[in-house]
Amino acid sequence: MNKTSQSKTSLRSLSEIEERKEYILSEIRNNSTQINKKWHSLFQEPSEKKRGFNVSTLMNTGAGLVDGFLLAWKLYHKFKK
């Protein structure tokens, strides 16, 4: 622990220790719920989905089709014999 946290935690009675413990436990629970919410929000799909083709989807699809066509053409000529 550093000096600032030691000076803040100078407790004098059991009731002060219990109050501090309850405060720390409530902070831990609050942080835990916040972490859980953020963790689960990472794996949710976005609420708005874009439908249809945009330019990048069209380019990816076109490149895949050209690549497949070239592969088929090369295989055809290689095994044509």
Side-chain angles (χ1 to χ4, degrees):
M1 291 192 340
N2 56 22
K3 292 181 182 180
T4 57
S5 65
Q6 288 177 350
S7 65
K8 289 181 181 178
T9 59
S10 59
L11 304 172
R12 297 186 180 152
S13 69
L14 286 176
S15 63
E16 290 177 355
I17 294 172
E18 288 176 359
E19 289 175 8
R20 178 76 177 153
K21 179 181 173 183
E22 288 299 320
Y23 173 75
I24 291 172
L25 284 174
S26 68
E27 287 295 314
I28 290 172
R29 288 184 189 115
N30 289 338
N31 290 340
S32 177
T33 57
Q34 289 175 355
I35 289 170
N36 282 336
K37 286 179 185 177
K38 290 180 180 180
W39 178 259
H40 291 297
S41 71
L42 286 174
F43 299 107
Q44 291 179 350
E45 292 184 16
S47 59
E48 297 179 11
K49 290 185 177 181
K50 292 184 178 180
R51 299 205 182 262
F53 286 100
N54 52 16
V55 176
S56 65
T57 305
L58 188 60
M59 292 292 289
N60 286 335
T61 305
L65 289 172
V66 169
D67 187 41
F69 176 74
L70 290 175
L71 176 65
W73 184 261
K74 288 178 184 179
L75 289 174
Y76 173 74
H77 282 290
K78 185 175 183 176
F79 295 113
K80 186 171 112 174
K81 299 177 186 179

